[in-house]
């Protein structure tokens, strides 16, 4: 059973991922304790966990804020994420069993069903499950751990990308190519396709920065 602080950490992390707590937002321990109906102690423990993950920044005598990432660092982080996922895809193409393939297809189909869901975040959640199964399919525990850690750090920004017009359908199409390459055992192709799917550059980066600006303005 999870500790209360871990449950709270996941809840606060989710609020950050979906934009309820935007970058730069001050996290008041008393307000959070009241919102979740707990004492400040588990809230404090949860914030310490989030700080260690780089999702928030705890400042001496000034409290905690949701971490802000500069455009340059964001590009660098997506660059690393794209390479990590590319490795996962290459290994998954070599190591996934028929049962793994069946689960990958099930998660891919869940993404397909979520494309037209009333809640645009439905595709985001199903997409996370899809990508996580590719991590698992690498059958490399250390790689899985690293991929999940970096994915968690980039969650708010991966979600925002999907808010750009037409991006969800394009994302699903890219998933489809990755799935086919993995099932065919073509590690190089799977790796290349997933790397391109994750990497933000050119217009995609401009769209992401615009989405971030809009969210900041709405939160102001």
């Amino acid at each position: 059973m999870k500790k209360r602080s871990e449950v709270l950490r996941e809840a606060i992390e989710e609020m950050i991922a979906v934009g309820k707590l935007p970058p730069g937002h001050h996290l008041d321990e008393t307000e959070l304790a009241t919102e979740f109906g707990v004492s400040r102690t588990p809230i404090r423990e949860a914030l310490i966990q989030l700080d260690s993950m780089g999702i928030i920044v705890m400042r001496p005598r000034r409290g905690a804020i949701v971490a802000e990432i500069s455009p340059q660092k964001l590009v660098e982080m997506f660059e690393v994420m794209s390479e990590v996922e590319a490795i996962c895809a290459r290994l998954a193409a070599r190591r996934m069993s028929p049962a793994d393939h069946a689960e990958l297809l099930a998660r891919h189909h869940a993404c397909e069903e979520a494309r037209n869901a009333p809640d645009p975040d439905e595709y985001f959640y199903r997409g996370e499950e899809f990508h996580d199964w590719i991590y698992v399919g690498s059958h490399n525990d250390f790689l899985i751990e690293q991929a999940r850690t970096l994915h968690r750090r980039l969650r708010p920004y991966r979600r925002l990308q999907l808010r750009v017009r037409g991006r969800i359908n394009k994302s699903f199409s890219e998933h489809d190519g990755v799935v086919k390459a993995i099932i065919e055992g073509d590690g190089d192709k799977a790796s290349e396709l997933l790397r391109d799917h994750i990497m933000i550059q050119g217009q995609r980066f401009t769209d992401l920065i615009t989405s971030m600006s809009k969210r900041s303005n709405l939160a102001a």
Side-chain angles (χ1 to χ4, degrees), residues 4 22 31-32 45 56 67 84 91-92 103 115 135 137 147 178 213:
R4 175 173 292 183
E31 290 180 0
L32 289 170
E45 293 174 354
I56 71 167
V84 169
L91 292 179
E103 180 63 25
R115 284 190 299 175
Y135 306 162
V178 172
S213 297

Side-chain angles (χ1 to χ4, degrees), residues 113-124:
E113 293 177 355
R115 284 190 299 175
N116 299 313
D119 181 358
D121 281 333
E122 185 65 22
Y123 182 85
F124 167 67

Side-chain angles (χ1 to χ4, degrees), residues 68-119:
E68 298 181 88
I69 301 179
S70 69
Q72 177 62 32
K73 185 173 181 179
L74 194 61
V75 168
E76 293 171 352
M77 291 178 72
F78 268 100
E79 188 174 52
V80 173
M81 184 83 258
S82 69
E83 293 298 331
V84 169
E85 293 216 17
I87 296 171
C88 290
R90 180 181 292 109
L91 292 179
R94 289 167 41 191
R95 298 176 177 178
M96 273 191 172
S97 67
D100 291 333
H101 288 163
E103 180 63 25
L104 181 64
L105 285 169
R107 296 187 183 208
H108 183 45
H109 291 154
C111 288
E112 183 175 24
E113 293 177 355
R115 284 190 299 175
N116 299 313
D119 181 358

Side-chain angles (χ1 to χ4, degrees), residues 14-147:
E14 189 65 21
M15 292 169 72
I16 293 171
V18 301
K20 292 181 180 178
L21 300 173
H25 182 87
H26 175 69
L27 299 168
D28 186 279
E29 292 182 18
T30 302
E31 290 180 0
L32 289 170
T34 300
E35 179 172 351
F36 289 106
V38 298
S39 68
R40 289 179 59 183
T41 298
I43 291 292
R44 178 76 175 179
E45 293 174 354
L47 294 181
I48 290 173
Q49 292 173 33
L50 290 168
D51 178 60
S52 70
M53 295 159 59
I55 294 176
I56 71 167
V57 177
M58 298 188 74
R59 307 163 302 172
R61 297 180 297 281
R62 291 188 295 165
I65 62 168
V66 178
E68 298 181 88
I69 301 179
S70 69
Q72 177 62 32
K73 185 173 181 179
L74 194 61
V75 168
E76 293 171 352
M77 291 178 72
F78 268 100
E79 188 174 52
V80 173
M81 184 83 258
S82 69
E83 293 298 331
V84 169
E85 293 216 17
I87 296 171
C88 290
R90 180 181 292 109
L91 292 179
R94 289 167 41 191
R95 298 176 177 178
M96 273 191 172
S97 67
D100 291 333
H101 288 163
E103 180 63 25
L104 181 64
L105 285 169
R107 296 187 183 208
H108 183 45
H109 291 154
C111 288
E112 183 175 24
E113 293 177 355
R115 284 190 299 175
N116 299 313
D119 181 358
D121 281 333
E122 185 65 22
Y123 182 85
F124 167 67
Y125 292 123
R126 301 293 79 77
E128 286 197 309
E129 294 170 356
F130 171 81
H131 282 271
D132 191 71
W133 193 250
I134 295 176
Y135 306 162
V136 172
S138 72
H139 293 280
N140 181 312
D141 289 342
F142 180 76
L143 180 60
I144 294 168
E145 178 185 352
Q146 298 306 308

Side-chain angles (χ1 to χ4, degrees), residues 2-25:
K2 293 181 180 179
K3 294 175 57 178
R4 175 173 292 183
S5 62
E6 292 176 341
V7 173
L8 291 168
R9 188 260 301 164
E10 291 178 354
I12 296 170
E13 181 184 337
E14 189 65 21
M15 292 169 72
I16 293 171
V18 301
K20 292 181 180 178
L21 300 173
H25 182 87

